[in-house]
């Protein structure tokens, strides 16, 4: 992976203020620790608790793994840069970071769409749920999410590998990202820009259409339930996923569809930081605090640990 004159890049980060850097580092340390701990807890519970061995929690386990992978691809490197003052990243490491953050980010959209379909089958076709969402089908859907994510990112990523960097190697961001890289490239970036737009629009349209259609059918079915208690229970099983979907799609649309935000580099960097640090922290709490089965599994696991240690 050679590129003529440039072998390293310099990541500017968010600020040069020493006091602000300390605050950012503490913030990132806390959010990253909470994110990894929370998502690992969900993954562990789905393995050890028999009540959580259902398709819904199988997808949730994979979603938690994606969240850990996504935030680990960029946050630890940024924390190291703040702590050491070393802003230099090699060409290879930079593009490896771009690859994994994009792969995890795009795969997450396909997984959210898959989770919406799972909720649709559970509520709209409950008698056929175990047949439709069999173990083999769930594994195939997860594999399909990863393959879809890979296929989406490969065309723009392959074109990005051909970019030449002659005039500058300074990236105005805290992590390697496609847009800042194209800004400093001395190559013609028209083709890669159009490819990125096409891939992003296709991904958002396909996954969001699946989510909207699934929840339209879910809401339509729930409103037909005769009992208010049944309606409340059905809505509660979907509410956590709907909140996560809203956060994920909302932030993505803000960055890529809002021209004002796109022009303001600082806003873009701050929103990117929130996506990579806050969202992975919120998601475990959203799923656990609003889910009685997960809370019960967590309490049972704590009791078992206490008994074993005593």
């Amino acid at each position: 992976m050679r590129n003529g004159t440039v072998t390293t890049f310099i990541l500017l980060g968010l600020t040069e203020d020493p006091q602000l850097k300390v605050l950012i580092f503490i913030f990132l340390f806390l959010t990253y620790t909470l994110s990894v701990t929370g998502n690992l807890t969900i993954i562990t519970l789905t393995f050890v608790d028999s009540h959580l061995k259902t398709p819904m929690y199988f997808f949730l386990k994979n979603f938690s793994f994606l969240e850990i992978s996504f935030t680990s691809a960029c946050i630890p490197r940024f924390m190291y840069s703040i702590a050491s003052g070393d802003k230099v990243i090699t060409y290879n490491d930079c593009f490896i970071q771009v690859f994994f953050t994009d792969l995890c980010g795009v795969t997450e959209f396909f997984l959210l769409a898959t989770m919406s379909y799972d909720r649709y089958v559970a509520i709209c076709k409950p008698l056929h749920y175990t047949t439709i969402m069999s173990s083999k089908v769930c594994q195939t859907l997860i594999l399909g999410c990863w393959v879809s994510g890979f296929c989406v990112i490969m065309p723009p990523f392959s074109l990005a590998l051909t970019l030449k960097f002659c005039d500058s190697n300074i990236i105005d961001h805290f992590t390697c990202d496609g847009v800042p890289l194209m800004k400093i490239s001395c190559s013609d970036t028209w083709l890669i820009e159009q490819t990125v737009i096409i891939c992003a629009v296709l991904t958002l349209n396909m996954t969001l259409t699946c989510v909207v259609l699934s929840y339209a059918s879910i809401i339509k079915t729930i409103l037909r339930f005769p009992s208010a208690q049944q309606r409340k229970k059905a809505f509660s099983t979907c509410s956590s996923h709907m909140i996560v979907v809203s956060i994920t799609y909302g932030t993505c649309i803000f960055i890529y569809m809002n021209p004002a935000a796109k022009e303001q580099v600082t806003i873009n960097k701050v929103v990117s930081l929130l996506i990579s640090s806050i969202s992975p922290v919120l998601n475990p709490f959203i799923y656990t605090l609003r889910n009685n089965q997960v809370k019960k599994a967590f309490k049972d696991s704590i009791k078992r640990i206490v008994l074993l240690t005593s």
Side-chain angles (χ1 to χ4, degrees), residues 2 9 38 82 87 91 132 139 191 207 224 271 275 303:
R2 297 180 61 193
F9 294 104
I82 295 172
K87 298 182 178 181
Y91 180 90
I132 297 173
Q139 291 171 4
L191 180 59
T207 57
R224 290 176 182 171
V271 174
I275 291 173
K303 287 177 184 177

Side-chain angles (χ1 to χ4, degrees), residues 163-193:
L163 291 175
K164 301 296 180 184
F165 303 94
C166 318
D167 304 322
S168 174
N169 68 336
I170 299 173
I171 300 174
D172 189 11
H173 212 287
F174 65 88
T175 184
C176 285
D177 188 58
V179 175
L181 280 169
M182 285 190 283
K183 282 184 178 180
I184 64 170
S185 173
C186 54
S187 303
D188 182 5
T189 60
W190 181 86
L191 180 59
I192 185 172
E193 286 173 8

Side-chain angles (χ1 to χ4, degrees), residues 133-154:
M133 301 303 293
S134 64
S135 177
K136 187 176 181 181
V137 169
C138 291
Q139 291 171 4
T140 303
L141 286 170
I142 289 296
L143 180 62
C145 290
W146 282 100
V147 171
S148 299
F150 182 80
C151 291
V152 167
I153 70 161
M154 278 314 294

Side-chain angles (χ1 to χ4, degrees), residues 5-200:
T5 57
V6 173
T7 56
T8 60
F9 294 104
I10 297 171
L11 296 169
L12 291 184
L14 291 175
T15 181
E16 291 297 325
D17 187 336
Q19 292 181 334
L20 196 54
K21 278 186 177 181
V22 173
L23 292 175
I24 292 171
F25 182 87
I26 295 170
F27 168 77
L28 291 175
F29 178 78
L30 291 174
T31 54
Y32 182 70
T33 304
L34 285 171
S35 170
V36 172
T37 305
N39 284 292
L40 277 178
T41 300
I42 290 176
I43 293 170
T44 305
L45 288 175
T46 56
F47 274 116
V48 301
D49 195 284
S50 59
H51 297 98
L52 301 183
K53 294 189 182 298
T54 63
M56 175 182 173
Y57 296 105
F58 174 74
F59 293 127
L60 180 56
K61 173 178 64 181
N62 282 274
F63 185 77
S64 294
F65 173 75
L66 261 178
E67 291 285 59
I68 293 172
S69 303
F70 176 72
T71 192
S72 296
C74 53
I75 296 301
R77 177 63 183 78
F78 184 36
M79 289 171 62
Y80 165 77
S81 178
I82 295 172
S84 65
D86 182 11
K87 298 182 178 181
V88 178
I89 184 170
T90 65
Y91 180 90
N92 287 0
D93 289 346
C94 184
F95 276 88
I96 288 171
Q97 191 177 64
V98 170
F99 176 81
F100 281 107
T101 52
D102 287 357
L103 177 63
C104 292
V106 173
T107 303
E108 194 171 293
F109 284 101
F110 286 101
L111 184 52
L112 286 172
T114 302
M115 293 168 78
S116 300
Y117 174 72
D118 171 67
R119 291 298 82 208
Y120 159 76
V121 177
I123 292 173
C124 300
K125 301 179 184 293
L127 298 177
H128 304 285
Y129 181 66
T130 53
T131 305
I132 297 173
M133 301 303 293
S134 64
S135 177
K136 187 176 181 181
V137 169
C138 291
Q139 291 171 4
T140 303
L141 286 170
I142 289 296
L143 180 62
C145 290
W146 282 100
V147 171
S148 299
F150 182 80
C151 291
V152 167
I153 70 161
M154 278 314 294
F157 183 75
S158 300
L159 290 171
L161 292 176
T162 65
L163 291 175
K164 301 296 180 184
F165 303 94
C166 318
D167 304 322
S168 174
N169 68 336
I170 299 173
I171 300 174
D172 189 11
H173 212 287
F174 65 88
T175 184
C176 285
D177 188 58
V179 175
L181 280 169
M182 285 190 283
K183 282 184 178 180
I184 64 170
S185 173
C186 54
S187 303
D188 182 5
T189 60
W190 181 86
L191 180 59
I192 185 172
E193 286 173 8
Q194 300 308 309
T195 306
V196 168
I197 291 170
I198 292 169
C199 290

Side-chain angles (χ1 to χ4, degrees), residues 269-281:
K269 287 194 287 185
V270 171
V271 174
S272 297
L273 183 67
L274 294 177
I275 291 173
S276 54
S277 60
I278 295 295
S279 293
V281 174

